[in-house]
Amino acid sequence: MSNILHIAVVEHHSLLRRGLESLLSRHRSAQLVAVVSDPVELPVKLDPYGPRPDVIVLGPSPAGDGARETVISSLSGLGRVLVVADFSETQLVTAALRAGAFGCVTRQAEDEELLSAVCTVADGGVHIAPALATRLQTELRLPPTAAPPALARREVETLRWLAAGLTHRQIARRMALTEATVSTYVKRIRNKLGVGNKADLTRKALELGLLPGPDEVPRRAAADVPHLGGTAERRMHRVPPAA
């Protein structure tokens, strides 16, 4: 590992986000590569030619209890995740670890503990806050939680294209379906996942690990993908044509 720790921060609340940014940026061996308010923004904010984060410091999920685990699973492909949360009765330490987190600390952690946790996770170790040790032992005896409702293969494909920003018409053309069929798929997805608008669908796609990466979008399709601007658009147009 490089002597420089490359860190990304994902935190919904602006006050805590600024605090994490200020603390981590003062660390002499740390370099912040991205600071975002929503997990869905992180792949776009990262420089495709720059360093990948060694550690992703993830704050509490604004989507509510239970959603954080699927966010962790998605983000773990970008870097090792360190969770900062309250860990209430419905927020399980074991669930975060099973989802792929390398560390868990509470929002009451001192600066020194957070920095120590970041270094441990960056080295590939696992850090559990001392305050959570007893909680972890208790949770290890709990039964596993239920999985989310299963989506059919075509529903998964539809959700992925929705998360990429395509309209129903564009999805229908891509999947060789009618718009009416796509609309039916979308209604089924909303009912199964319990979400309403497109923003919630996109967030749910991220939580379920279904957000398509730029390498999955064929270049020939870029013309009918809505304008994203900035880094996201440049990354999409660098993808070679699909075979």
Side-chain angles (χ1 to χ4, degrees), residues 189-239:
I189 294 168
R190 286 174 173 166
N191 289 335
K192 287 183 177 182
L193 300 182
V195 298
N197 57 41
K198 189 173 181 179
D200 289 337
L201 281 172
T202 300
R203 180 173 285 111
K204 199 67 178 180
L206 172 63
E207 294 171 1
L208 295 174
L210 299 177
L211 189 69
D215 293 340
E216 298 178 79
V217 181
R219 184 173 182 178
R220 62 173 177 268
D224 59 10
V225 175
H227 180 74
L228 297 176
T231 303
E233 184 180 30
R234 292 195 299 272
R235 291 176 71 183
M236 181 174 292
H237 283 280
R238 278 194 294 270
V239 177

Side-chain angles (χ1 to χ4, degrees), residues 1 12 51 69 75 97 130-131 144 153 203:
M1 187 186 71
H12 176 66
E69 285 71 51
L75 293 181
L97 296 175
R153 181 179 62 83
R203 180 173 285 111

Side-chain angles (χ1 to χ4, degrees), residues 43-158:
V44 176
K45 290 290 187 180
L46 290 174
D47 184 348
Y49 296 115
R52 309 301 283 175
D54 297 304
V55 180
I56 299 172
V57 180
L58 175 65
S61 170
D65 294 344
R68 185 184 62 242
E69 285 71 51
T70 42
V71 174
I72 293 169
S73 180
S74 277
L75 293 181
S76 61
L78 299 174
R80 299 185 183 98
V81 179
L82 171 63
V83 178
V84 181
D86 291 325
F87 290 102
S88 64
E89 288 302 317
T90 56
Q91 295 175 321
L92 303 182
V93 179
T94 49
L97 296 175
R98 288 177 181 132
F102 275 72
C104 297
V105 298
T106 68
R107 291 204 290 181
Q108 290 72 43
E110 298 291 338
D111 293 357
E112 292 77 10
E113 182 188 349
L114 180 61
L115 292 174
S116 175
V118 167
C119 293
T120 298
V121 171
D123 285 332
V126 175
H127 178 96
I128 302 298
L132 297 173
T134 302
R135 172 73 179 274
L136 178 61
Q137 289 294 325
T138 301
E139 287 181 14
L140 289 173
R141 300 178 178 88
L142 295 176
T145 56
L151 297 178
R153 181 179 62 83
R154 296 294 262 175
E155 292 169 351
V156 170
E157 188 177 354
T158 300

